[in-house]
Short mmCIF file of all heavy atoms in Angstrom, two decimals:
data_model
loop_
_atom_site.label_atom_id
_atom_site.label_comp_id
_atom_site.label_asym_id
_atom_site.label_seq_id
_atom_site.Cartn_x
_atom_site.Cartn_y
_atom_site.Cartn_z
N ALA A 1 0.84 -1.21 0.00
CA ALA A 1 0.00 0.00 0.00
C ALA A 1 0.87 1.25 0.00
O ALA A 1 0.57 2.24 -0.69
CB ALA A 1 -0.93 -0.01 1.21
N GLU A 2 1.97 1.21 0.75
CA GLU A 2 2.86 2.38 0.81
C GLU A 2 3.54 2.60 -0.54
O GLU A 2 3.65 3.74 -1.02
CB GLU A 2 3.90 2.17 1.90
CG GLU A 2 4.86 3.34 2.06
CD GLU A 2 5.90 3.10 3.13
OE1 GLU A 2 5.85 2.02 3.78
OE2 GLU A 2 6.77 3.96 3.32
N ILE A 3 4.00 1.51 -1.17
CA ILE A 3 4.66 1.62 -2.48
C ILE A 3 3.69 2.18 -3.51
O ILE A 3 4.04 3.06 -4.31
CB ILE A 3 5.18 0.23 -2.92
CG1 ILE A 3 6.36 -0.19 -2.05
CG2 ILE A 3 5.58 0.24 -4.39
CD1 ILE A 3 6.84 -1.61 -2.30
N ALA A 4 2.44 1.70 -3.49
CA ALA A 4 1.44 2.17 -4.45
C ALA A 4 1.14 3.65 -4.25
O ALA A 4 1.02 4.41 -5.22
CB ALA A 4 0.17 1.33 -4.33
N ALA A 5 1.01 4.08 -3.00
CA ALA A 5 0.71 5.49 -2.73
C ALA A 5 1.85 6.39 -3.18
O ALA A 5 1.63 7.45 -3.79
CB ALA A 5 0.43 5.67 -1.24
N ASN A 6 3.10 5.98 -2.91
CA ASN A 6 4.25 6.76 -3.36
C ASN A 6 4.33 6.80 -4.89
O ASN A 6 4.67 7.84 -5.48
CB ASN A 6 5.54 6.18 -2.78
CG ASN A 6 5.63 6.35 -1.28
OD1 ASN A 6 4.99 7.25 -0.72
ND2 ASN A 6 6.41 5.51 -0.62
N ALA A 7 4.02 5.67 -5.52
CA ALA A 7 4.05 5.61 -6.98
C ALA A 7 2.99 6.54 -7.58
O ALA A 7 3.24 7.18 -8.62
CB ALA A 7 3.82 4.17 -7.46
N LEU A 8 1.83 6.62 -6.94
CA LEU A 8 0.78 7.51 -7.44
C LEU A 8 1.23 8.96 -7.39
O LEU A 8 1.02 9.73 -8.34
CB LEU A 8 -0.50 7.31 -6.61
CG LEU A 8 -1.71 8.10 -7.09
CD1 LEU A 8 -2.22 7.56 -8.41
CD2 LEU A 8 -2.82 8.07 -6.05
N ASP A 9 1.88 9.35 -6.28
CA ASP A 9 2.38 10.72 -6.17
C ASP A 9 3.40 11.02 -7.26
O ASP A 9 3.37 12.09 -7.88
CB ASP A 9 3.02 10.94 -4.80
CG ASP A 9 2.00 10.90 -3.67
OD1 ASP A 9 0.80 11.09 -3.95
OD2 ASP A 9 2.39 10.65 -2.51
N GLU A 10 4.28 10.06 -7.52
CA GLU A 10 5.30 10.26 -8.56
C GLU A 10 4.66 10.36 -9.93
O GLU A 10 5.03 11.21 -10.75
CB GLU A 10 6.31 9.11 -8.53
CG GLU A 10 7.40 9.24 -9.58
CD GLU A 10 8.47 8.18 -9.46
OE1 GLU A 10 8.82 7.80 -8.32
OE2 GLU A 10 8.98 7.72 -10.51
N LEU A 11 3.66 9.50 -10.21
CA LEU A 11 3.00 9.52 -11.51
C LEU A 11 2.35 10.88 -11.77
O LEU A 11 2.47 11.45 -12.86
CB LEU A 11 1.95 8.41 -11.58
CG LEU A 11 1.05 8.42 -12.83
CD1 LEU A 11 1.86 8.08 -14.07
CD2 LEU A 11 -0.12 7.46 -12.67
N ILE A 12 1.64 11.40 -10.78
CA ILE A 12 0.95 12.68 -10.95
C ILE A 12 1.95 13.80 -11.25
O ILE A 12 1.72 14.65 -12.12
CB ILE A 12 0.09 13.00 -9.71
CG1 ILE A 12 -1.07 12.00 -9.61
CG2 ILE A 12 -0.44 14.42 -9.77
CD1 ILE A 12 -1.90 12.12 -8.36
N ARG A 13 3.08 13.79 -10.56
CA ARG A 13 4.10 14.80 -10.82
C ARG A 13 4.69 14.65 -12.22
O ARG A 13 4.96 15.63 -12.91
CB ARG A 13 5.20 14.73 -9.76
CG ARG A 13 4.73 15.16 -8.38
CD ARG A 13 5.85 15.11 -7.36
NE ARG A 13 6.89 16.10 -7.65
CZ ARG A 13 8.01 16.23 -6.94
NH1 ARG A 13 8.22 15.43 -5.90
NH2 ARG A 13 8.91 17.14 -7.25
N LEU A 14 4.90 13.41 -12.66
CA LEU A 14 5.42 13.18 -14.02
C LEU A 14 4.43 13.66 -15.08
O LEU A 14 4.83 14.14 -16.14
CB LEU A 14 5.72 11.69 -14.22
CG LEU A 14 6.96 11.13 -13.52
CD1 LEU A 14 7.01 9.61 -13.67
CD2 LEU A 14 8.23 11.76 -14.08
N LEU A 15 3.14 13.52 -14.79
CA LEU A 15 2.13 13.92 -15.76
C LEU A 15 1.92 15.44 -15.79
O LEU A 15 1.60 16.01 -16.84
CB LEU A 15 0.79 13.22 -15.44
CG LEU A 15 0.72 11.74 -15.78
CD1 LEU A 15 -0.51 11.11 -15.14
CD2 LEU A 15 0.68 11.52 -17.29
N GLN A 16 2.13 16.08 -14.67
CA GLN A 16 1.80 17.50 -14.56
C GLN A 16 3.00 18.43 -14.68
O GLN A 16 2.85 19.64 -14.70
CB GLN A 16 1.07 17.76 -13.24
CG GLN A 16 -0.28 17.05 -13.14
CD GLN A 16 -0.99 17.30 -11.83
OE1 GLN A 16 -0.39 17.75 -10.86
NE2 GLN A 16 -2.29 17.01 -11.79
N THR A 17 4.21 17.87 -14.74
CA THR A 17 5.43 18.68 -14.82
C THR A 17 6.05 18.56 -16.20
O THR A 17 6.18 17.45 -16.73
CB THR A 17 6.45 18.22 -13.75
OG1 THR A 17 5.83 18.23 -12.47
CG2 THR A 17 7.66 19.15 -13.75
N ASP A 18 6.42 19.69 -16.79
CA ASP A 18 7.13 19.67 -18.08
C ASP A 18 8.63 19.79 -17.82
O ASP A 18 9.22 18.89 -17.26
CB ASP A 18 6.60 20.78 -18.98
CG ASP A 18 5.14 20.54 -19.37
OD1 ASP A 18 4.77 19.36 -19.54
OD2 ASP A 18 4.37 21.51 -19.48
N GLU A 19 9.21 20.89 -18.21
CA GLU A 19 10.64 21.08 -17.92
C GLU A 19 10.81 21.34 -16.41
O GLU A 19 9.94 21.94 -15.79
CB GLU A 19 11.18 22.25 -18.73
CG GLU A 19 11.17 22.00 -20.23
CD GLU A 19 11.80 23.16 -21.01
OE1 GLU A 19 12.24 24.14 -20.35
OE2 GLU A 19 11.86 23.09 -22.23
N PRO A 20 11.91 20.86 -15.79
CA PRO A 20 13.06 20.21 -16.41
C PRO A 20 12.96 18.70 -16.50
O PRO A 20 13.89 18.05 -16.95
CB PRO A 20 14.20 20.62 -15.47
CG PRO A 20 13.52 20.63 -14.12
CD PRO A 20 12.13 21.14 -14.36
N LEU A 21 11.83 18.09 -16.03
CA LEU A 21 11.71 16.64 -16.07
C LEU A 21 11.61 16.12 -17.51
O LEU A 21 12.21 15.11 -17.86
CB LEU A 21 10.50 16.18 -15.27
CG LEU A 21 10.68 16.05 -13.76
CD1 LEU A 21 9.37 15.66 -13.09
CD2 LEU A 21 11.76 15.02 -13.44
N TRP A 22 10.83 16.79 -18.33
CA TRP A 22 10.58 16.34 -19.70
C TRP A 22 11.13 17.37 -20.68
O TRP A 22 10.93 18.56 -20.51
CB TRP A 22 9.09 16.14 -19.97
CG TRP A 22 8.46 15.05 -19.14
CD1 TRP A 22 7.84 15.19 -17.93
CD2 TRP A 22 8.42 13.66 -19.45
NE1 TRP A 22 7.40 13.97 -17.48
CE2 TRP A 22 7.75 13.01 -18.39
CE3 TRP A 22 8.87 12.88 -20.52
CZ2 TRP A 22 7.51 11.64 -18.37
CZ3 TRP A 22 8.66 11.51 -20.50
CH2 TRP A 22 7.98 10.91 -19.44
N MET A 23 11.78 16.87 -21.73
CA MET A 23 12.32 17.72 -22.79
C MET A 23 11.72 17.27 -24.12
O MET A 23 11.32 16.11 -24.28
CB MET A 23 13.84 17.62 -22.84
CG MET A 23 14.53 17.82 -21.50
SD MET A 23 14.31 19.47 -20.80
CE MET A 23 15.31 20.43 -21.93
N LYS A 24 11.67 18.18 -25.08
CA LYS A 24 11.17 17.84 -26.41
C LYS A 24 12.29 17.20 -27.24
O LYS A 24 13.39 17.75 -27.34
CB LYS A 24 10.65 19.08 -27.13
CG LYS A 24 9.37 19.66 -26.54
CD LYS A 24 8.20 18.73 -26.74
CE LYS A 24 6.92 19.37 -26.20
NZ LYS A 24 5.78 18.43 -26.28
N SER A 25 12.00 16.05 -27.85
CA SER A 25 12.98 15.40 -28.72
C SER A 25 13.14 16.20 -30.01
O SER A 25 12.15 16.61 -30.62
CB SER A 25 12.53 13.98 -29.06
OG SER A 25 13.30 13.42 -30.09
#
């Protein structure tokens, strides 16, 4: 349950954050 909750937080940040996490190819 703890791993899943932490993973959910990470996923939301990956989806809602652009730079500097994501760059355009």
Side-chain angles (χ1 to χ4, degrees):
E2 181 181 358
I3 290 173
N6 292 337
L8 184 69
D9 292 340
E10 180 174 323
L11 173 68
I12 293 174
R13 291 182 67 183
L14 286 173
L15 286 167
Q16 296 180 343
T17 306
D18 294 326
E19 295 183 0
L21 277 177
W22 296 93
M23 310 295 290
K24 291 293 183 185
S25 169

